[in-house]
Amino acid sequence: MKLLTISGSPHIHGGHSVKKLMRGVIVAMMPALLVSFYYFGLSAFIVTMVSVFACMFFEWFIQKFIMKVPTSITDGSAMVTGILLAFNVPSNLPIWIILIGALVSIGIGKMTYGGLGKNPFNPALVGRVFLLISFPVQMTTWPKSGLPFSTLSFDGLTGPTPLGILKGGLSQGETVNQVMSNVDMPRYADLLYGQMGGSLGEVSAIALIIGGLFLIFRKVITWHIPVAFIGTSFIFASILHMVNPELYVDPFFHLITGGLMLGAFFMATDLVTSPMSKTGQLVFGVGCGLLTILIRVWGAYPEGVSFAILLMNATTPLINNAFKPKQFGKAIKLKA
Amino acid sequence: MKTFTLGGIHPKGNKLSAQAPIEIFPIPEKVYIMVTQHLGAPSTVIVNKGDRVKVGTLVAKADAFICANVHSSVSGIVEKIDEINDASGYRKSTIIIKVENDEWEENIDRSTNLNRECKLNSKEIVQRIKDSGIVGLGGATFPTHVKYMVPEGKKADFLIINGVECEPYLTSDHAIMLEKAEEIMIGIEILMKALGSKKAMIGIEKNKPDAIKKMQEIASKYNKIEIYPLKVKYPQGAEKQLIKALTGREVPSGKLPIEVGCVVNNIGTALAVYEAVQKNKPLIERVVTVSGKSVKKPSNLRVRIGTPCQLLIDHAGGIPEDTGKIISGGPMMGKALRSPEMPVTKGTSGILLMTEKESKREASSMCIRCAKCVNACPMGLEPYLLQMYVESLRFEDAENHKIMDCIECGSCQYTCPANRELLDYIRVGKSKVGAMMRSRTRK
Amino acid sequence: MITLILYSLLALSLIGLISAVILYFVSQKFKVIEDPKIDEITELLPAANCGGCGYAGCRNFAEAIVRQGNLDNIHCPVGGNSLVKLIAPILGIEAQESEPQVAVIRCNGSKENAPSKAIYDSVQTCSFAHALFAGENGCPNGCLGCGDCVVSCKFDAMYMDETTGLPVIITDNCVACGACVKACPRNIIELRNKGKKDRRIYVDCINKEKGAVALKNCTVTCIGCGKCVKVCPFDAITLINNLAYIDDEKCKLCRKCAPVCPTGAIIEIGFPPRKENVETASNEEKA
C-alpha cells in the first residue's frame, strides 16, 4: 500500500475554484457582449479582443518578469478585467488608448498591490477612469448606435449618450420635457434594448440583467449589492423627480441609461473590492446608488457610476470593520 | 421544515451504506482497549498483566470529574498494558487483551426482550450512566453523565436527540434508528426522567425518510417525544446548530447548551443509555460505518470496542490499491489515520477510505475576498479574517473576533474557491488563544 | 508689487514667530525627563529588536538595565560579552564575562535516517502539524520539518536543508537570541555553550520513547542504553526517561562518549577527524 496522506479536516472540498467563478462571470457577460457586437459591429469585437489580450499579456509579463512569481493568467481574472474594460470604453477608441488602459488596469490597478485579491479598487474601473481623465475627447465620443451590423470607421457618425444629451440640455436651461423630445434622444424601448450611444457594454439593460441574474443564480454574487445599488438609485431619483419634474428626469431613465446596470451587476459586485458581510454589501450598494445619482444630477460629468463605485471601493475596508456578519449566540431568545 | 439560520453548506450525501443492515462483527483474537477514549482527563488502569477479565469488567476507572470508565469488551487474559499509536501517531496507554471464549459478567442481561419500565430515580440513572462509561457517541466523546449534572439554578426544558447525521458517508445512526427504534425511545424516556425535562425532540434530516417514518411510528406510542424532520444542511448535527434548528434558541458565545435549557445527546448515546440502565450493559460495543467510494461493500458493523480498524476494512472488502487516506469519522470533521492498525474507540463513528485522487488537496492561492466562507460559517464568524490574523500571529485580534466560537465544522474550507487552508490556521489560532486565555486566568 | 511681496514676507514671518513661541512653551510644558543613559545604551544595542533578552525591543532592554542599575540576570544574547564591556562603564560597574552560546538542533531524523510513513498535506506550520499528528516519520518528539524555527530567525542563521528535511543553524550568524527555541513546538532546539574553538558534543535526539519503539521510526535515536553515562569521566551525562543528556557546563569535550553510542546519536562538532585509536585522540585533546 502507498503512504497515507494526513491532513486536517475537512477532507472533502466543494469543488469551487477561482477559475470556475471567473468562468461564470465571463459567461454572464456574454449576452451584453453579443448585443454590443450587434450594435457596434466589428469595431466592438476589435476593441474587446485587444483589451482582453492586452490585459492577459500585461498580467503575464508583470508576474513573470517584474514580480517573478508563478503566473496566474489561467485563472481568468485578467480576462474578466479585459472584457470589463472593453465594456467601459466607446467602440471607436483607438487601439493605442486601449493598450494604455489595459496597462493601467492591470499594472496600477491590480499588480502594484500584489495581484488578484489584494487590489482595493476594481482594476477595470481604475483603467477606465484613468482614460476618461487623460483622453476626455476620445473617451466621450461615442459612435452612433442603431445601425445593426455596421462597421463604423473611426470618423464615422458619432453621437452623445442619452445622459450627455440630458446634461447638455439642462445646462442650457431646457426643461426635462424639452430635452426628452429632442430628436437625438432615444425612446425608452430603445434604451432597454440598447439602441443608444454609449460605451460598448453598457447599452443593453436587458442583456445585463440577464447576465446579472445568471451570476446570482450561479451564486457567484449575492443579490445584496445590485438590489441596494439599483434600489437606492431608483428611490433617490424618484424623490428628486417628485420634487421638481421640470429639472429632474424620471427614475426609470436613470436606471436604463449609462452604466448603472453594468455597474450594479458586474463592477460593484467585484468580489475582491466589495465588502464581505451582507449588511456591509447593502451599505456599499446604497452608497454606490447615492453617489451615482449625486454625480449625475449635480456633478460635472454626465455619468457617475465608475466614480461612485471607485469611491465606495475606498470605503470597503471601513465597511468591513464596521459591519460584521451576524454572529451566532448574540441574541438570546427564550420562547417557551 | 426547520433548520438553523446562519450559514451552512450542502455537501453531497454519499450515504453508500444507508441500506446496509447492521452486521454483528465477529470478536477478534486480540483487542486493544485505549485507556483514554473520551474527552477529558485520562482514566486509571485497574487491571494488571495476566488478569482474567470478562465482557463488561471494569478495566480503567474514572477519577476526575470529566472522565469516563472503560470496560473490557471481550473475555480473556490481559496480555500487557502498553502504549500504542493512537489516531494521530502519539503513543497512548492501552490495555491489550487476548480473547478467550465469550464470557459475560453475570449481572448483564443479554436477552433481547424490551424492558420499558425504569425503576431507578434520577440520581441512580446518572450514576448508572457514569458507571457504564457512556460518552457522546456522535464523535466528540464527551462523558454523558456530566451533561446530566445540571448546575444549580438551571433547568433543562428540552432533551434534544441528535439523529441528524449530517456528515456525508456516515450511516451508523441511521442504521440504529431503523433497527433499534424501540430501544432508543425507552432510552430517551430514561434520559428525560434523569433530567426532569418536559419534552424530548428528535431531529432527523429528511434525507432519511425511512428512519423518520419508523421513528414517528414508534414515537406515537410514547408521550412527550416528538420527531422533527429537518432540512438537509451541514453542520446541523452540531450541538448549537441543532438547538437553534429545533427550538430557535441560540446558545450564547462560550456557554453550554444548558444555558438555554437544552441537553443534546446522540441517537447512539440514547441506545447505550437504554442498554446500560435496563440491561446493565456497559459501553463495550458500537456501530461503525465502513464506507468510501472505492470500498467494495460499504457496511454498518456492530463492533466490540478495541477491534483494530484493519479487520473492519478487510470485512468490507479490503483496502483498495489506490487508497490515499483513511479517516476515522466523517469527511468533514474526521481525523486522518496514520495507519489502519489503530483500534475502534468509543468515538469511532465511521471508517472512511478515500482514493488518492480525492485525498489530495488543491494548491491554495490568494484570498479573493469572495465572502463564501463568511456566508458558510454557521457561527457567523469571518474565517478569512481569522486566518489572516493567525497567519500574522495577531492572536489578540483573533480572540476579539471570537475565534474560540469556531466549532471546527470545516464549512469555510469546504467552500473556499482559492482552496485556502482556513480551518488549519483557525485551529492553530484556537490552541494559541486558548493557551493565552488560560495563562490569563491563572494570573 | 513690492508691497505685496513685503506684506506676504511680513505675514509669513509673523506666523513663523508665533508658531515658534507656541512650540517652545508646549515643548517646555510637556517635557519628559528621561535618563540620558537610556539613549546612550540604546545607541550601543544591536537594534534588531529580536526579543532574545526577554524584552519587547532594544529600547525596553536599555530601560530595564538603567532601572536595575546593573547587569545581573539580564543579558543581550546578540551583543554578548563585547556589548557588556561597553555598557558596564556607562552604568559605572565592572563587566562580567558570560559564556557565549549557540542554538543546536537536537534531532537528526533526516529523510534517510527516519523515512516517512505518511504524507503531510496541510498547512506548513510545525505548530499545526504537532497538534495534528506525530510526524511523517512517526517520531512523536522529532523534527516536523515545516520550518517554524527558520521563519522565526531574524538573523539569517537558519535554513531548511532540502535533502535531509531538517533545519540547519549557521553558527557564525547565530546570536543565541532563543527565538527558534520558543518557536519549536517540540522543544528540539536548545541553547548550548559555544565551546572552546567552537567545539561541541551533544546528544542529537530528544526522543523519550523506549529504545525498541524509537528504533522503529529512526535509526539515529537515543535508545537510553546508558553506555555514554558509564564512560563519561566527568559525570556530565545524565539519563532520564530513556534519554541521555550532556550537561555542557560539566562536559570537558573529552570525546569518550561519542564512539560508544550504538546508534550514533551523540554528535561532535568542530573536532578534527578522529584517529584510528580512540585513546590517542583523547590524549591529544587533554594535552
Side-chain angles (χ1 to χ4, degrees):
Chain A
M1 199 179 67
K2 290 172 203 120
L3 294 182
L4 293 176
T5 307
I6 306 259
S7 64
S9 64
H11 304 288
I12 48 174
H13 190 267
H16 310 279
S17 71
V18 178
K19 226 183 238 183
K20 279 185 194 162
L21 283 183
M22 293 300 167
R23 211 181 298 153
V25 178
I26 291 168
V27 170
M29 287 191 292
M30 280 304 143
L33 193 62
L34 292 177
V35 168
S36 77
F37 290 167
Y38 175 76
Y39 284 123
F40 300 111
L42 193 62
S43 57
F45 182 72
I46 294 168
V47 167
T48 314
M49 282 301 132
V50 168
S51 171
V52 167
F53 282 109
C55 281
M56 289 174 74
F57 170 76
F58 286 128
E59 174 145 321
W60 171 80
F61 184 85
I62 292 172
Q63 282 185 325
K64 177 119 186 165
F65 295 104
I66 301 177
M67 293 167 73
K68 298 199 169 60
V69 292
T71 53
S72 63
I73 48 164
T74 48
D75 69 14
S77 64
M79 203 167 174
V80 170
T81 306
I83 299 178
L84 274 182
L85 180 67
F87 272 16
N88 273 302
V89 296
S91 64
N92 56 354
L93 200 66
I95 285 173
W96 62 272
I97 295 185
I98 303 169
L99 290 178
I100 292 175
L103 181 60
V104 170
S105 287
I106 296 294
I108 296 177
K110 191 168 162 193
M111 286 306 160
T112 40
Y113 299 100
L116 180 67
K118 303 210 165 165
N119 47 307
F121 300 106
N122 187 333
L125 282 181
V126 171
R128 143 147 191 158
V129 167
F130 178 86
L131 293 184
L132 186 64
I133 296 168
S134 312
F135 309 101
V137 177
Q138 287 91 329
M139 281 296 283
T140 49
T141 311
W142 284 276
K144 201 159 185 146
S145 177
L147 306 164
F149 296 117
S150 61
T151 47
L152 283 169
S153 59
F154 294 132
D155 50 3
L157 285 164
T158 59
T161 61
L163 282 169
I165 301 170
L166 180 70
K167 189 124 225 165
L170 290 176
S171 66
Q172 279 161 20
E174 294 180 45
T175 63
V176 167
N177 279 336
Q178 284 169 316
V179 179
M180 295 309 262
S181 54
N182 190 323
V183 272
D184 281 342
M185 193 58 121
R187 302 285 80 91
Y188 270 44
D190 296 342
L191 291 175
L192 212 52
Y193 294 130
Q195 191 118 327
M196 60 173 167
S199 295
L200 214 154
E202 69 186 25
V203 285
S204 170
I206 284 191
L208 289 165
I209 291 171
I210 292 171
L213 290 179
F214 174 79
L215 281 184
I216 294 171
F217 175 70
R218 284 285 300 270
K219 293 189 178 151
V220 177
I221 61 171
T222 52
W223 57 267
H224 301 80
I225 293 178
V227 167
F229 193 162
I230 296 169
T232 311
S233 310
F234 183 79
I235 292 167
F236 190 30
S238 357
I239 292 171
L240 291 178
H241 184 65
M242 275 188 279
V243 170
N244 189 350
E246 290 287 286
L247 210 53
Y248 305 113
V249 76
D250 72 299
F252 291 104
F253 184 81
H254 273 299
L255 291 198
I256 53 179
T257 54
L260 201 139
M261 286 296 165
L262 178 64
F265 282 113
F266 290 96
M267 287 182 310
T269 57
D270 174 32
L271 300 171
V272 181
T273 55
S274 59
M276 303 292 277
S277 69
K278 282 168 187 164
T279 36
Q281 287 174 354
L282 288 176
V283 171
F284 181 86
V286 169
C288 286
L290 280 180
L291 282 173
T292 301
I293 302 297
L294 275 177
I295 296 172
R296 277 187 184 180
V297 174
W298 288 293
Y301 285 95
E303 171 61 308
V305 172
S306 346
F307 290 105
I309 296 173
L310 276 182
L311 280 171
M312 288 313 287
N313 280 166
T315 67
T316 295
L318 276 177
I319 294 176
N320 273 340
N321 254 337
F323 298 92
K324 292 286 173 195
K326 187 180 166 287
Q327 270 179 11
F328 187 92
K330 276 256 168 103
I332 313 159
K333 273 184 289 173
L334 275 175
K335 276 191 274 176
Chain B
M1 204 169 284
K2 292 183 173 190
T3 188
F4 60 98
T5 45
L6 278 181
I9 53 169
H10 300 92
K12 238 176 124 198
N14 282 325
K15 305 271 190 188
L16 305 173
S17 50
Q19 299 312 318
I22 300 175
E23 289 174 62
I24 310 278
F25 192 76
I27 305 169
E29 286 170 14
K30 226 186 243 183
V31 292
Y32 303 81
I33 297 175
M34 297 210 137
V35 173
T36 310
Q37 303 190 15
H38 52 264
L39 210 76
S43 319
T44 322
V45 181
I46 55 163
V47 287
N48 293 312
K49 189 178 165 181
D51 282 4
R52 192 163 276 278
V53 292
K54 292 181 186 170
V55 178
T57 309
L58 187 67
V59 290
K61 205 168 165 266
D63 293 332
F65 177 58
I66 300 183
C67 194
N69 284 340
V70 181
H71 300 79
S72 172
S73 59
V74 293
S75 63
I77 296 165
V78 177
E79 196 176 81
K80 60 179 166 183
I81 293 157
D82 198 6
E83 296 191 321
I84 67 159
N85 288 337
D86 73 350
S88 53
Y90 290 112
R91 299 178 74 77
K92 294 282 158 61
S93 181
T94 304
I95 301 162
I96 302 171
I97 301 171
K98 196 157 184 291
V99 178
E100 279 175 15
N101 306 323
D102 192 24
E103 269 177 65
W104 291 54
E105 288 280 350
E106 287 76 32
N107 57 357
I108 299 174
D109 176 9
R110 292 186 67 187
S111 66
T112 49
N113 41 359
L114 281 172
N115 182 4
R116 193 172 161 182
E117 197 185 348
C118 176
K119 293 185 193 79
L120 305 180
N121 67 21
S122 163
K123 257 214 178 105
E124 286 164 339
I125 293 171
V126 176
Q127 189 58 39
R128 184 68 67 80
I129 292 172
K130 190 181 175 189
D131 290 343
S132 306
I134 294 175
V135 300
L137 293 179
T141 65
F142 187 78
T144 302
H145 65 270
V146 180
K147 286 186 187 172
Y148 286 83
M149 295 176 176
V150 180
E152 283 291 313
K154 298 275 184 327
K155 206 181 151 295
D157 304 333
F158 299 117
L159 170 66
I160 290 175
I161 298 295
N162 183 353
V164 172
E165 202 155 56
C166 57
E167 279 263 14
Y169 292 98
L170 299 189
T171 56
S172 55
D173 289 351
H174 185 181
I176 294 173
M177 283 191 279
L178 287 180
E179 296 188 15
K180 303 270 183 188
E182 198 89 36
E183 285 90 335
I184 291 168
M185 290 302 164
I186 301 171
I188 293 169
E189 247 185 3
I190 295 167
L191 286 174
M192 275 164 68
K193 193 172 172 189
L195 272 184
S197 57
K198 55 187 178 189
K199 191 177 171 191
M201 303 166 120
I202 307 178
I204 306 173
E205 282 192 350
K206 65 169 184 189
N207 59 358
K208 296 180 263 292
D210 47 348
I212 295 174
K213 198 163 156 260
K214 172 97 186 179
M215 293 290 275
Q216 269 168 341
E217 227 168 76
I218 310 276
S220 59
K221 291 192 251 168
Y222 293 80
N223 292 330
K224 303 193 285 187
I225 301 181
E226 258 181 73
I227 314 288
Y228 290 86
L230 300 170
K231 252 189 225 165
V232 181
K233 190 152 91 172
Y234 179 88
Q236 196 137 245
E239 211 168 49
K240 291 179 178 178
Q241 274 62 38
L242 186 61
I243 294 172
K244 171 78 184 170
L246 289 175
T247 67
R249 300 178 181 185
E250 285 191 12
V251 181
S253 159
K255 292 279 166 42
L256 293 170
I258 193 71
E259 198 75 16
V260 292
C262 294
V263 168
V264 183
N265 269 127
N266 190 264
I267 282 284
T269 316
L271 177 61
V273 166
Y274 164 76
E275 289 181 339
V277 176
Q278 302 296 75
K279 305 274 180 181
N280 215 0
K281 179 182 152 200
L283 185 57
I284 53 156
E285 52 184 5
R286 69 157 299 146
V287 179
V288 178
T289 302
V290 183
S291 186
K293 279 181 190 150
S294 55
V295 171
K296 284 204 193 80
K297 203 180 96 197
S299 27
N300 298 308
L301 307 171
R302 194 166 180 84
V303 187
R304 299 286 174 96
I305 281 161
T307 310
C309 294
Q310 178 77 57
L311 299 178
L312 273 61
I313 300 171
D314 288 344
H315 184 91
I319 297 180
E321 191 50 38
D322 63 341
T323 300
K325 208 183 232 177
I326 301 179
I327 299 162
S328 159
M332 290 302 291
M333 289 185 77
K335 207 165 165 46
L337 297 181
R338 292 189 81 247
S339 82
E341 280 145 30
M342 103 134 223
V344 170
T345 65
K346 290 176 184 174
T348 312
S349 47
I351 298 167
L352 179 60
L353 275 71
M354 292 180 93
T355 62
E356 216 164 346
K357 213 174 129 223
E358 288 173 302
S359 56
K360 281 273 169 296
R361 284 188 182 175
E362 297 277 322
S364 66
S365 57
M366 244 184 275
C367 172
I368 58 164
R369 301 179 155 266
C370 63
K372 276 199 191 305
C373 56
V374 178
N375 293 337
C377 182
M379 296 305 289
L381 307 176
E382 293 164 286
Y384 81 102
L385 195 64
L386 296 175
Q387 186 269 339
M388 283 175 193
Y389 282 147
V390 174
E391 200 176 8
S392 50
L393 308 177
R394 289 165 66 183
F395 297 116
E396 275 92 4
D397 289 316
E399 190 189 348
N400 293 338
H401 284 84
K402 300 271 181 236
I403 193 169
M404 294 312 274
D405 277 7
C406 171
I407 57 168
E408 306 188 14
C409 67
S411 301
C412 48
Q413 198 162 325
Y414 178 86
T415 53
C416 182
N419 287 297
R420 291 179 73 74
E421 290 137 333
L422 296 166
L423 185 56
D424 291 4
Y425 275 106
I426 291 174
R427 283 220 179 90
V428 173
K430 278 183 79 174
S431 69
K432 290 270 158 76
V433 171
M436 232 163 63
M437 286 161 76
R438 278 193 297 277
S439 72
R440 209 178 299 145
T441 47
R442 223 173 286 140
K443 275 172 199 163
Chain C
M1 192 64 190
I2 295 286
T3 47
L4 187 70
I5 294 172
L6 251 167
Y7 276 131
S8 41
L9 261 179
L10 265 174
L12 281 174
S13 332
L14 203 69
I15 293 169
L17 195 72
I18 295 168
S19 311
V21 170
I22 294 172
L23 270 178
Y24 173 77
F25 281 107
V26 169
S27 72
Q28 283 298 315
K29 170 105 181 143
F30 294 105
K31 197 175 185 179
V32 179
I33 298 156
E34 204 175 40
D35 198 328
K37 281 181 196 162
I38 294 176
D39 279 328
E40 250 176 276
I41 294 173
T42 311
E43 287 278 293
L44 296 170
L45 294 174
N49 294 319
C50 66
C53 52
Y55 293 91
C58 288
R59 194 170 171 85
N60 306 60
F61 176 72
E63 281 167 10
I65 294 177
V66 174
R67 214 181 307 129
Q68 198 175 312
N70 58 42
L71 284 164
D72 297 347
N73 300 324
I74 187 164
H75 180 65
C76 172
V78 184
N81 285 326
S82 52
L83 181 69
V84 172
K85 277 183 202 143
L86 291 172
I87 296 177
I90 298 175
L91 297 170
I93 57 169
E94 207 142 303
Q96 278 171 340
E97 293 257 328
S98 74
E99 190 88 24
Q101 287 193 313
V102 70
V104 296
I105 290 157
R106 295 180 294 166
C107 177
N108 198 11
S110 62
K111 283 175 187 164
E112 199 179 313
N113 292 335
S116 290
K117 298 189 190 71
I119 305 160
Y120 178 61
D121 185 28
S122 269
V123 132
Q124 286 293 310
T125 318
C126 299
S127 51
F128 182 69
H130 174 66
L132 186 68
F133 77 135
E136 284 187 340
N137 54 30
C139 177
N141 297 309
C143 178
L144 292 157
C146 295
D148 275 13
C149 49
V150 176
V151 174
S152 75
C153 185
K154 288 182 185 149
F155 299 94
D156 278 343
M158 293 186 103
Y159 66 93
M160 215 62 191
D161 191 328
E162 291 299 325
T163 53
T164 61
L166 293 171
V168 178
I169 288 170
I170 305 163
T171 318
D172 291 342
N173 289 359
C174 179
V175 297
C177 69
C180 51
V181 177
K182 276 180 217 145
C184 181
R186 293 188 158 178
N187 292 321
I188 291 169
I189 307 174
E190 188 197 12
L191 295 181
R192 289 180 75 90
N193 288 343
K194 216 165 185 175
K196 285 192 188 104
K197 295 189 206 161
D198 255 358
R199 290 175 175 180
R200 288 182 293 282
I201 298 178
Y202 59 93
V203 181
D204 204 7
C205 181
I206 59 155
N207 194 359
K208 295 187 184 73
E209 286 175 311
K210 282 180 193 146
V213 179
L215 274 176
K216 272 185 198 159
N217 294 325
C218 181
T219 56
V220 292
T221 175
C222 171
I223 54 172
C225 63
K227 278 183 183 161
C228 51
V229 179
K230 281 179 204 138
V231 85
C232 181
F234 306 105
D235 283 342
I237 307 180
T238 47
L239 186 71
I240 301 164
N241 292 335
N242 305 314
L243 176 66
Y245 177 76
I246 303 178
D247 187 344
D248 51 355
E249 295 293 334
K250 288 182 186 162
C251 176
K252 299 279 190 288
L253 303 173
C254 72
R255 299 181 81 184
K256 275 195 180 138
C257 49
V260 300
C261 181
T263 54
I266 298 180
I267 292 261
E268 301 173 326
I269 284 179
F271 289 94
R274 200 177 274 274
K275 300 244 173 72
E276 287 295 309
N277 191 336
V278 182
E279 273 307 307
T280 43
S282 52
N283 281 344
E284 269 175 16
E285 202 58 46
K286 276 175 195 163

